[in-house]
Amino acid sequence: MNTHFANKVVLVTGASRGIGRAVALAFAREGAQLVLAARSIDHLAQVENEVQELGAAALSVPTDVTDPDAVAALVDAAVARFGRIDVLVNNAGIGKVGAVESEAFADNVHQTLRASLFGTIDVTQRVLPIFRRQGAGVIVNMSSVMGRKAFARFGSYAIVMHSVSAFSDSLRQEVAGSGIGVSVIYPALTATDLLREADEAEMPPPFRHMTPLSADTVARAVVAAARRRTPRVVLPRRANMLLLGEAVSPRLGDLIATALSRRRITRLLRMSSGRTYHQTIQSR
Ligand SMILES: NC(=O)c1ccc[n+]([C@@H]2O[C@H](COP(=O)([O-])OP(=O)(O)OC[C@H]3O[C@@H](n4cnc5c(N)ncnc54)[C@H](OP(=O)(O)O)[C@@H]3O)[C@@H](O)[C@H]2O)c1
């Protein structure tokens, strides 16, 4: 067993399924003690059991991160049980697919902002005084490749992921030299329930043929980023080509995004093994 996080206290939001669950299990394998937060009590209890089966202590606290009282109670419960928090993983979030001209667009932005950005801000502001007192702590925020380059029909999500990225960037500079680290993770499409309800035909065109990453791959990157305090991690590394193209010129970025909607290109770039997002999550 890797022991870097032995007996460290790791608080994971959105721990009831998907990437958050995988992150909790990955830290448990490293000997960490887990505080698990999400709304679904049953799923949370299941993850708590899985963590304990790996030999790690776990406390699950049903929490809606959009509710400030619930967030305060979560952080109080973590400190009451373990006396400290060493790593905060702000992972809870939602995502909605839809064009800018769709009726639901503004509402989608509002809902996503509340869960994925304001939830992250609130939990962070509650945990930071603890990190300041300890003179140590690591915050890992979950953004997305969409937080660096938006795709068509995913604007509401991309707006929020850009804001999570900017929040992390500001915070990292504000806490520099205090013993507190801030990492932000930018995963590409990942095989979770995030877009399970989205109509496959309505998905952003570059996602059409893309084989999603596994939640375990993202979780391993989160643990490594927390260990090394890496400021930014893009997953998979190949996605940096898109971001590089976008940095040179938005036209080039758009061109690469359009190219990614072609099966031949995604296969060539090893971003497609023939299975789409929906095929992958339905076969799980
Ligand atoms: N899947 C992808 O392609 C992908 C790619 C890049 C980044 N991400 C990011 O990764 C994070 C995790 O997403 P996922 O893919 O694992 O999706 P998921 O399977 O849908 O899981 C989302 C998690 O967030 C929790 N959550 C949602 N709203 C919440 C709220 N108001 N309060 C507390 N918990 C809340 C959910 O739990 P409850 O419903 O039980 O509350 C669940 O545990 C998100 O921030 C997402 O933006 C995902």
Side-chain angles (χ1 to χ4, degrees):
M1 187 203 275
N2 215 324
T3 52
H4 184 87
F5 291 103
N7 299 320
K8 299 285 184 200
V9 180
V10 180
L11 192 165
V12 184
T13 69
S16 60
R17 57 176 190 268
I19 293 171
R21 169 182 167 273
V23 166
L25 297 178
F27 275 110
R29 284 186 204 102
E30 303 254 339
Q33 314 180 82
L34 271 303
V35 181
L36 311 167
R39 295 163 302 179
S40 328
I41 297 171
D42 292 350
H43 285 140
L44 214 49
Q46 219 171 303
V47 179
E48 184 180 339
N49 282 338
E50 290 178 278
V51 165
Q52 286 166 345
E53 275 166 20
L54 290 169
L59 170 71
S60 58
V61 187
T63 310
D64 183 338
V65 295
T66 68
D67 174 352
D69 291 339
V71 169
L74 162 68
V75 175
D76 288 350
V79 174
R81 168 77 183 268
F82 295 113
R84 59 185 292 119
I85 300 171
D86 297 291
V87 180
L88 164 64
V89 183
N90 280 310
N91 164 79
I94 60 169
K96 309 262 181 194
V97 166
V100 173
E101 287 168 283
S102 67
E103 215 174 296
F105 186 79
D107 192 39
N108 288 344
V109 175
H110 278 292
Q111 284 186 40
T112 313
L113 273 174
R114 283 191 70 212
S116 306
L117 177 67
F118 288 109
T120 290
I121 292 174
D122 197 10
V123 181
T124 302
Q125 287 185 327
R126 290 274 171 193
V127 169
L128 272 173
I130 298 165
F131 283 2
R132 291 270 189 203
R133 273 198 301 278
Q134 295 173 173
V138 181
I139 298 171
V140 183
N141 291 335
M142 194 57 68
S143 179
S144 157
V145 169
M146 296 298 102
R148 307 288 296 281
K149 165 69 180 166
F151 283 170
R153 295 195 207 135
F154 218 15
S156 62
Y157 183 72
I159 287 168
V160 180
M161 292 300 107
H162 272 75
S163 66
V164 170
S165 176
F167 170 68
S168 312
D169 228 8
S170 304
L171 180 61
R172 192 180 56 255
Q173 294 167 63
E174 288 172 23
V175 298
S178 68
I180 302 169
V182 179
S183 297
V184 57
I185 315 290
Y186 301 89
L189 189 64
T190 305
T192 69
D193 289 341
L194 190 79
L195 303 176
R196 181 184 275 278
E197 303 304 324
D199 184 343
E200 193 159 14
E202 295 300 316
M203 291 280 273
F207 290 171
R208 215 171 277 154
H209 308 295
M210 228 176 248
T211 301
L213 300 171
S214 76
D216 289 335
T217 300
V218 181
R220 280 194 294 275
V222 169
V223 173
R227 182 186 298 125
R228 297 182 196 133
R229 299 178 171 228
T230 321
R232 293 178 176 175
V233 179
V234 176
L235 286 174
R237 283 218 181 129
R238 291 185 292 285
N240 277 307
M241 279 184 310
L242 170 70
L243 306 183
L244 196 64
E246 175 70 10
V248 171
S249 132
R251 281 210 180 98
L252 185 55
D254 290 359
L255 210 67
I256 296 172
T258 307
L260 287 175
S261 59
R262 307 232 160 82
R263 188 196 297 267
R264 235 165 5 110
I265 308 261
T266 48
R267 285 217 155 197
L268 204 66
L269 294 173
R270 291 182 292 121
M271 292 177 116
S272 169
S273 62
R275 283 190 142 190
T276 65
Y277 171 83
H278 283 85
Q279 283 166 345
T280 306
I281 57 169
Q282 273 152 21
S283 69
R284 279 189 304 153

